Amino acid sequence: MPVLLLTALLTAAGSAAGQDLAQEADSARAAVQQLRQVMLQQLQTSVREVGPAEATAVCRHLAPELAAEIAAETGWEIRRPALKARNPDNHPTELERGVLLGYLTRSLAGQTFEEMETVRLVEQDGRPYVHYMRAIPMLDACEVCHGSNLPSDVAARIAEVYPQDEAVGFRAGDLRGAFSLLRPYDPAKAPEVRGPRLPAVPAGTAAELPLGPPGKLGDPVAGRDLFGRHCLSCHDAGDLSTHLYQLGAEAPRRDVCVFLQTHGLTDEARDCDIVAYLKALSQQAPK
């Protein structure tokens, strides 16, 4: 049976379905965060210890294992489809391809990847499912395996393992692919939301915090929202604030807003907002 949007079901369910889907989206984001965080940590460790060529095994073996574990815990079936796939298993379905093409068009029009998230009800084999997708941007660190000029040992290893590889020629800031999550929809069951939550900005924090560089200010409230969009997938806000700031001591170099290296997804002004949020958290952390 073709995969169809359950427009009629959404219309009939009204705001209740919208609320349910909002909860489903929270649960899906947490599952994505869990997968990304472990994968990035393992990939960085492997690149450091055995080099990029051998580190390709992380994506090949670890991602399916983690996805299976998360599926067992949460019920989410997780895929990473791409228009240009490395693993043939990651070629998109008809439903996924349509969303990916939409993301690609929007990215070429200048939209940021933070806006590229989709959650909707679909029908598959006569049953309703929640389908969630979120764009995956190409980061600087990924160019060694997905860029235009791969090191010879990396290219040889990829050709050996993935003879039908299409996932090269990317530049930082391109659309690399997307996370695609699917699970049965039952509005009677509230989905369990896993993963970290963003700490609130401490009460009494100034609307704008002065930062190290003269004249630099940051909005911690805006920074909290930006952290949730850009950073929560890989970092815990409390841990990062403690790491960047020694409690009770000023560290001006840590206030340099571009220090955060948000991979071009934000500009310097918004980086300053993220810094202000982390600085506000550090000032309330227990000594």
Side-chain angles (χ1 to χ4, degrees), residues 12-13 27 68 111 179 214 222 225 228 240 262 268:
S27 176
Q111 286 192 16
F179 292 102
D225 178 64
L240 187 57
T262 49
E268 182 180 356

Side-chain angles (χ1 to χ4, degrees), residues 196-254:
R197 286 295 181 219
L198 276 176
V201 176
T205 301
E208 290 188 313
L209 290 182
L211 305 179
K216 296 290 186 181
L217 297 172
D219 179 346
V221 174
R224 180 179 184 271
D225 178 64
L226 289 165
F227 190 97
R229 296 182 184 182
H230 296 294
C231 311
L232 187 60
S233 293
C234 306
H235 302 284
D236 178 87
D239 290 345
L240 187 57
S241 67
T242 301
H243 172 71
L244 293 179
Y245 296 97
Q246 293 182 351
L247 299 179
E250 292 295 328
R253 75 178 184 88
R254 299 296 193 186

Side-chain angles (χ1 to χ4, degrees), residues 6 23 26 29 31 35 77 100 103 119 123 164 177 221 229 233 236 243 246:
L6 293 182
Q23 292 178 315
D26 283 343
R29 291 185 196 106
L35 177 62
E77 175 189 329
L100 283 166
Y103 288 168
V119 58
E123 184 181 275
Q164 297 177 314
V221 174
R229 296 182 184 182
S233 293
D236 178 87
H243 172 71
Q246 293 182 351

Side-chain angles (χ1 to χ4, degrees), residues 103-236:
Y103 288 168
L104 178 60
T105 301
R106 291 162 62 184
S107 70
L108 294 175
Q111 286 192 16
T112 61
F113 290 111
E114 67 190 72
E115 302 174 78
M116 297 181 199
E117 179 184 57
T118 306
V119 58
R120 52 188 174 175
L121 292 181
V122 300
E123 184 181 275
Q124 188 166 283
D125 298 327
R127 296 183 59 192
Y129 285 80
V130 179
H131 183 227
Y132 173 90
M133 288 185 70
R134 186 174 187 85
I136 300 175
M138 175 73 177
L139 305 180
D140 293 333
C142 302
E143 290 192 90
V144 68
C145 293
H146 293 285
S148 299
N149 298 303
L150 274 59
S152 58
D153 61 333
V154 174
R157 184 61 171 158
I158 291 173
E160 175 187 349
V161 178
Y162 301 105
Q164 297 177 314
D165 176 43
E166 302 170 345
V168 292
F170 289 95
R171 296 181 298 176
D174 288 346
L175 175 70
R176 173 64 190 89
F179 292 102
S180 178
L181 284 71
L182 193 73
R183 77 173 175 185
Y185 176 67
D186 184 352
K189 296 180 180 179
E192 182 178 0
V193 177
R194 298 173 179 266
R197 286 295 181 219
L198 276 176
V201 176
T205 301
E208 290 188 313
L209 290 182
L211 305 179
K216 296 290 186 181
L217 297 172
D219 179 346
V221 174
R224 180 179 184 271
D225 178 64
L226 289 165
F227 190 97
R229 296 182 184 182
H230 296 294
C231 311
L232 187 60
S233 293
C234 306
H235 302 284
D236 178 87

